[in-house]
Amino acid sequence: MRVPSLRGTGERALADAPPGSGLAAVLGEPGLPVVGKTLAFMRQGPALSLEHYRRFGPVSWANVFGMRMVLVLGPDAAQVVLVNKDKVFSQSGWEWFIGPFFKRGLMLLDGDEHHLHRRIMQEAFTRPRLESYLLQAGAIVDEQVPTWPTGIPFLLYPAVKELSLDVATAVFMGSGQTGETEEVQKAFVDCVRAGLSLVRFPVPGLRWHRGLKGRRVLEDYFRERIPTKRASADEDLFAALCHVETDEGQSFSDDDVVNHMIFLMMAAHDTSTITATAACWFLARNPEWQERCREESQAVVDMAAAGPIDLPGTEKLESLDLVFSEAMRLVTPVPGMARRAVRDAEILGRHVPAGTMVLVSSWASHLIPELWADAETFDPTRFDEPRREDRQHRFANLAFGGGVHKCIGMHFGRAEVKAILHRLLLTYRIEVPADYEVRWDMTSLPTPADGLPVVLHRL
Ligand code: HEM
């Protein structure tokens, strides 16, 4: 991946550090009048943060979306923000991006309230439940993937998106009726797209308006179905949220279930789609890794009874695991983590004034050369023994976040993506033309701008 150079418009301090505090000001650059660096931020993904890192160090600032945003890169600075020892960095940073559409989702809660909700939700992510979710997901994957067309350019991204949305609808909502779920799926897509709207108030026909409408559709959908789910013995995530209880008897209210379901659907499906698509792209581009992973998949199938791959099966796919981690390093599905300083704060000796938006730039952190050898090159062995570049620091690999908000679905996400790639590898050889280079659209979460045309050859 090429990181373009951005021309500067003048270094400035974000705010003077309080006298006698011993802190230094955060340095950075506002960018152009009015728009600041918003366009670079939206179009160039990690490039803006990397450029700032080179010029100003791990903590810098820029004007983005009309606000002063502190950019945080590298494991030490990320650790300060994500561990959040003094409880000064609030999840309300996310409010600005996705608040109206995903309000009161787990990721938007702070402190004791977050702790309680996370403890309850954890009960829906126990290993026996994950095993059950994966078997349901695997059945859909094994039904859909082998029907994909061969020998012609085939747009991988929309196909994986449809697949993972179907998986999410079945496994999380327990619904398999296409007519009913189409409207719900559209509502999700509208909510996700609304997050990075430039026009951030409702104008009919524009993203923000569609997102708000989508939210209402989703609220009605889940609320109507709660009584039936509470009374059911279903094994989907929706039913789990209706039933789970901590040892002390704490459980979710109807409002909680609605809010968590809407957030979970979003958190689960886009991220898995991007990871599976990116991994597939790297497998197509690196046939030796494709072959290595395929051999492992074949060995797992030889050992197991026919049927969808189970959780222990996915854990045996070690090479695929390396590819998975490397794909998320190079194309980080959640490119940054938003926080807001609720009081004056300090990051590595720099003064961050109360109210400032703080963005932990995870994607850019995965490309800093001090940590990752030949950082822009696809090389899954960096995650293998003895190199383990990801183990140099607890906060080196930020793909699933870190601290108390670390992704609760990471084991399921990993297993689901591996189940998709496993079936793909067993069914097809994946090819892209030698002169083809994918371009990632970064105006929202990273997605291939042209849908990523691949050619599948049946084995
Ligand atoms: C490859 C797939 C995935 C990636 C890359 C990913 C990434 C992330 C990241 C980076 C965070 C931390 C955000 C922050 O600290 O601000 C997060 C949180 C979260 N993720 Fe995931 N995720 C994935 C899959 C999933 C799945 C499958 C689920 C649910 C089934 C899920 C549910 C959540 C939830 C609920 C949170 C909020 C946790 C909290 O605040 O305590 N994610 N995810």
PDB file of all heavy atoms in Angstrom, residues 138-150:
ATOM      1  N   GLY A 138     -22.118 -21.829   9.565  1.00  0.00           N
ATOM      2  CA  GLY A 138     -21.430 -22.717   8.613  1.00  0.00           C
ATOM      3  C   GLY A 138     -22.402 -23.314   7.608  1.00  0.00           C
ATOM      4  O   GLY A 138     -22.071 -23.486   6.428  1.00  0.00           O
ATOM      5  N   ALA A 139     -23.617 -23.630   8.075  1.00  0.00           N
ATOM      6  CA  ALA A 139     -24.603 -24.241   7.165  1.00  0.00           C
ATOM      7  C   ALA A 139     -24.947 -23.258   6.043  1.00  0.00           C
ATOM      8  O   ALA A 139     -25.063 -23.647   4.869  1.00  0.00           O
ATOM      9  CB  ALA A 139     -25.849 -24.627   7.951  1.00  0.00           C
ATOM     10  N   ILE A 140     -25.077 -21.971   6.382  1.00  0.00           N
ATOM     11  CA  ILE A 140     -25.415 -20.967   5.353  1.00  0.00           C
ATOM     12  C   ILE A 140     -24.221 -20.750   4.425  1.00  0.00           C
ATOM     13  O   ILE A 140     -24.366 -20.678   3.200  1.00  0.00           O
ATOM     14  CB  ILE A 140     -25.823 -19.638   6.034  1.00  0.00           C
ATOM     15  CG1 ILE A 140     -27.084 -19.877   6.864  1.00  0.00           C
ATOM     16  CG2 ILE A 140     -26.055 -18.535   5.020  1.00  0.00           C
ATOM     17  CD1 ILE A 140     -27.447 -18.725   7.774  1.00  0.00           C
ATOM     18  N   VAL A 141     -23.032 -20.689   4.998  1.00  0.00           N
ATOM     19  CA  VAL A 141     -21.813 -20.509   4.200  1.00  0.00           C
ATOM     20  C   VAL A 141     -21.681 -21.669   3.200  1.00  0.00           C
ATOM     21  O   VAL A 141     -21.450 -21.459   2.002  1.00  0.00           O
ATOM     22  CB  VAL A 141     -20.568 -20.468   5.132  1.00  0.00           C
ATOM     23  CG1 VAL A 141     -19.280 -20.567   4.333  1.00  0.00           C
ATOM     24  CG2 VAL A 141     -20.586 -19.201   5.984  1.00  0.00           C
ATOM     25  N   ASP A 142     -21.861 -22.896   3.689  1.00  0.00           N
ATOM     26  CA  ASP A 142     -21.667 -24.067   2.836  1.00  0.00           C
ATOM     27  C   ASP A 142     -22.747 -24.179   1.756  1.00  0.00           C
ATOM     28  O   ASP A 142     -22.534 -24.797   0.715  1.00  0.00           O
ATOM     29  CB  ASP A 142     -21.635 -25.343   3.688  1.00  0.00           C
ATOM     30  CG  ASP A 142     -20.319 -25.446   4.458  1.00  0.00           C
ATOM     31  OD1 ASP A 142     -19.534 -24.471   4.414  1.00  0.00           O
ATOM     32  OD2 ASP A 142     -20.075 -26.482   5.102  1.00  0.00           O
ATOM     33  N   GLU A 143     -23.890 -23.576   2.021  1.00  0.00           N
ATOM     34  CA  GLU A 143     -24.951 -23.602   1.008  1.00  0.00           C
ATOM     35  C   GLU A 143     -24.683 -22.546  -0.068  1.00  0.00           C
ATOM     36  O   GLU A 143     -24.835 -22.805  -1.252  1.00  0.00           O
ATOM     37  CB  GLU A 143     -26.273 -23.297   1.721  1.00  0.00           C
ATOM     38  CG  GLU A 143     -27.501 -23.546   0.887  1.00  0.00           C
ATOM     39  CD  GLU A 143     -28.726 -23.080   1.659  1.00  0.00           C
ATOM     40  OE1 GLU A 143     -28.950 -23.561   2.792  1.00  0.00           O
ATOM     41  OE2 GLU A 143     -29.450 -22.196   1.132  1.00  0.00           O
ATOM     42  N   GLN A 144     -24.239 -21.348   0.357  1.00  0.00           N
ATOM     43  CA  GLN A 144     -24.127 -20.234  -0.605  1.00  0.00           C
ATOM     44  C   GLN A 144     -22.820 -20.228  -1.400  1.00  0.00           C
ATOM     45  O   GLN A 144     -22.835 -20.019  -2.611  1.00  0.00           O
ATOM     46  CB  GLN A 144     -24.251 -18.899   0.134  1.00  0.00           C
ATOM     47  CG  GLN A 144     -25.680 -18.556   0.481  1.00  0.00           C
ATOM     48  CD  GLN A 144     -25.846 -17.081   0.853  1.00  0.00           C
ATOM     49  OE1 GLN A 144     -25.047 -16.238   0.469  1.00  0.00           O
ATOM     50  NE2 GLN A 144     -26.886 -16.779   1.585  1.00  0.00           N
ATOM     51  N   VAL A 145     -21.693 -20.431  -0.725  1.00  0.00           N
ATOM     52  CA  VAL A 145     -20.393 -20.237  -1.401  1.00  0.00           C
ATOM     53  C   VAL A 145     -20.259 -21.117  -2.655  1.00  0.00           C
ATOM     54  O   VAL A 145     -19.825 -20.628  -3.709  1.00  0.00           O
ATOM     55  CB  VAL A 145     -19.225 -20.437  -0.406  1.00  0.00           C
ATOM     56  CG1 VAL A 145     -17.881 -20.467  -1.130  1.00  0.00           C
ATOM     57  CG2 VAL A 145     -19.231 -19.321   0.644  1.00  0.00           C
ATOM     58  N   PRO A 146     -20.634 -22.410  -2.581  1.00  0.00           N
ATOM     59  CA  PRO A 146     -20.454 -23.247  -3.787  1.00  0.00           C
ATOM     60  C   PRO A 146     -21.326 -22.841  -4.978  1.00  0.00           C
ATOM     61  O   PRO A 146     -21.135 -23.361  -6.078  1.00  0.00           O
ATOM     62  CB  PRO A 146     -20.829 -24.657  -3.291  1.00  0.00           C
ATOM     63  CG  PRO A 146     -20.621 -24.603  -1.815  1.00  0.00           C
ATOM     64  CD  PRO A 146     -21.020 -23.217  -1.418  1.00  0.00           C
ATOM     65  N   THR A 147     -22.275 -21.911  -4.784  1.00  0.00           N
ATOM     66  CA  THR A 147     -23.129 -21.505  -5.920  1.00  0.00           C
ATOM     67  C   THR A 147     -22.555 -20.290  -6.654  1.00  0.00           C
ATOM     68  O   THR A 147     -23.156 -19.821  -7.620  1.00  0.00           O
ATOM     69  CB  THR A 147     -24.554 -21.132  -5.443  1.00  0.00           C
ATOM     70  OG1 THR A 147     -24.456 -19.960  -4.609  1.00  0.00           O
ATOM     71  CG2 THR A 147     -25.205 -22.250  -4.653  1.00  0.00           C
ATOM     72  N   TRP A 148     -21.440 -19.750  -6.204  1.00  0.00           N
ATOM     73  CA  TRP A 148     -20.892 -18.563  -6.852  1.00  0.00           C
ATOM     74  C   TRP A 148     -20.380 -18.916  -8.252  1.00  0.00           C
ATOM     75  O   TRP A 148     -19.859 -20.026  -8.464  1.00  0.00           O
ATOM     76  CB  TRP A 148     -19.776 -17.956  -5.988  1.00  0.00           C
ATOM     77  CG  TRP A 148     -20.323 -17.285  -4.740  1.00  0.00           C
ATOM     78  CD1 TRP A 148     -21.632 -17.015  -4.469  1.00  0.00           C
ATOM     79  CD2 TRP A 148     -19.579 -16.811  -3.608  1.00  0.00           C
ATOM     80  NE1 TRP A 148     -21.752 -16.399  -3.237  1.00  0.00           N
ATOM     81  CE2 TRP A 148     -20.507 -16.255  -2.688  1.00  0.00           C
ATOM     82  CE3 TRP A 148     -18.223 -16.780  -3.271  1.00  0.00           C
ATOM     83  CZ2 TRP A 148     -20.132 -15.697  -1.468  1.00  0.00           C
ATOM     84  CZ3 TRP A 148     -17.844 -16.218  -2.058  1.00  0.00           C
ATOM     85  CH2 TRP A 148     -18.797 -15.684  -1.175  1.00  0.00           C
ATOM     86  N   PRO A 149     -20.515 -17.974  -9.223  1.00  0.00           N
ATOM     87  CA  PRO A 149     -20.166 -18.309 -10.614  1.00  0.00           C
ATOM     88  C   PRO A 149     -18.664 -18.466 -10.820  1.00  0.00           C
ATOM     89  O   PRO A 149     -17.864 -17.835 -10.125  1.00  0.00           O
ATOM     90  CB  PRO A 149     -20.693 -17.096 -11.397  1.00  0.00           C
ATOM     91  CG  PRO A 149     -20.757 -15.998 -10.415  1.00  0.00           C
ATOM     92  CD  PRO A 149     -21.012 -16.599  -9.074  1.00  0.00           C
ATOM     93  N   THR A 150     -18.318 -19.318 -11.792  1.00  0.00           N
ATOM     94  CA  THR A 150     -16.900 -19.572 -12.050  1.00  0.00           C
ATOM     95  C   THR A 150     -16.505 -19.107 -13.458  1.00  0.00           C
ATOM     96  O   THR A 150     -17.351 -18.970 -14.342  1.00  0.00           O
ATOM     97  CB  THR A 150     -16.601 -21.090 -11.949  1.00  0.00           C
ATOM     98  OG1 THR A 150     -17.515 -21.763 -12.803  1.00  0.00           O
ATOM     99  CG2 THR A 150     -16.741 -21.576 -10.537  1.00  0.00           C
TER     100      THR A 150
END
